[in-house]
Amino acid sequence: MYRAVQYFARFLAWYLIRRGNTVQGTRWNNLKSSLTSGRKLMHLFKPLENLQAALRAVQSSTNVLEQITTIGRHLAYLDTSIKVNKTSLHFWLVGILFSITNGVFKAGRLANEAGVLRSPSSEKNSLADDAAKQARLAAIATQSGSMHHQLFIDTLDVSLPALALGLVDLNDGIVGILGFISSVMALGTHWNSISK
């Protein structure tokens, strides 16, 4: 929620200043700056969380490519949490790119698995086998939906470090809207995960 307000303030400041309302635009810009500082302070213990996630990924038994990209993502985010400079922006960008790559690998694996389950088999299956197959297809559909959702968020977020590094040329309005949308989507995901 905090991040969504920060990016909305960024967009609104850009919009107001562009429309000639510099006083209101400056107020929203100051809010954005204050929220940015507050978020940096709240991320003080984030490196421990990223390190734990990387260690859990090492111990997981998923696909090797997904495991490597997950570990890479968390280690890249680990550095981003420790330092705030151009190097950390590179690590942030790499972390998002690892996350996107992980999503692409996972999408391929899930599509292949669903294809195998949907293909007709030569032997006659029992009702229990059919029920298990349908349950697995439903689980794959759920995983695929959440993976595509995260992939879309990452695609929006990749512009943030890319802009800060000068790799893309976007105005604050576009960056504010992209950040706001990805923040609201991530908030929805988080809300759904804790409300279950």
Side-chain angles (χ1 to χ4, degrees):
M1 184 64 155
Y2 207 83
R3 183 176 185 256
V5 173
Q6 175 192 348
Y7 281 104
F8 180 75
R10 184 176 186 163
F11 166 74
L12 198 55
W14 169 84
Y15 178 79
L16 290 169
I17 291 170
R18 189 164 169 94
R19 296 285 180 208
N21 194 343
T22 55
V23 173
Q24 289 293 332
T26 302
R27 287 182 183 159
W28 282 95
N29 203 30
N30 289 341
L31 175 63
K32 174 199 72 156
S33 298
S34 297
L35 291 172
T36 300
S37 298
R39 283 187 62 224
K40 287 178 185 175
L41 187 61
M42 287 191 289
H43 283 233
L44 196 58
F45 293 102
K46 190 76 172 163
L48 294 175
E49 185 180 320
N50 288 320
L51 186 58
Q52 286 176 334
L55 290 173
R56 277 193 305 272
V58 167
Q59 297 170 348
S60 73
S61 61
T62 61
N63 179 294
V64 175
L65 292 174
E66 290 175 34
Q67 188 178 22
I68 290 169
T69 55
T70 299
I71 293 166
R73 178 181 70 222
H74 288 295
L75 291 179
Y77 288 153
L78 175 67
D79 184 75
T80 301
S81 302
I82 296 171
K83 301 179 225 161
V84 180
N85 59 27
K86 194 167 186 171
T87 303
S88 67
L89 290 171
H90 282 101
F91 277 99
W92 184 18
L93 179 63
V94 167
I96 293 173
L97 292 175
F98 268 121
S99 185
I100 290 170
T101 305
N102 180 283
V104 170
F105 285 141
K106 194 172 198 174
R109 180 181 57 81
L110 290 173
N112 287 339
E113 190 175 341
V116 167
L117 288 171
R118 285 188 185 110
S119 67
S121 61
S122 58
E123 57 189 62
K124 218 172 187 184
N125 291 333
S126 68
L127 289 176
D129 289 340
D130 285 341
K133 186 189 291 189
Q134 292 306 317
R136 182 64 192 138
L137 282 170
I140 289 172
T142 302
Q143 287 177 344
S144 183
S146 64
M147 182 271 315
H148 281 99
H149 185 80
Q150 184 60 47
L151 194 57
F152 187 71
I153 291 172
D154 290 338
T155 304
L156 294 175
D157 278 346
V158 79
S159 65
L160 305 175
L163 174 72
L165 290 167
L167 300 175
V168 294
D169 185 26
L170 301 171
N171 64 44
D172 270 358
I174 292 173
V175 173
I177 287 295
L178 293 177
F180 176 73
I181 292 169
S182 70
S183 298
V184 169
M185 289 177 71
L187 178 66
T189 301
H190 183 68
W191 183 269
N192 289 338
S193 71
I194 60 173
S195 67
K196 289 182 180 179

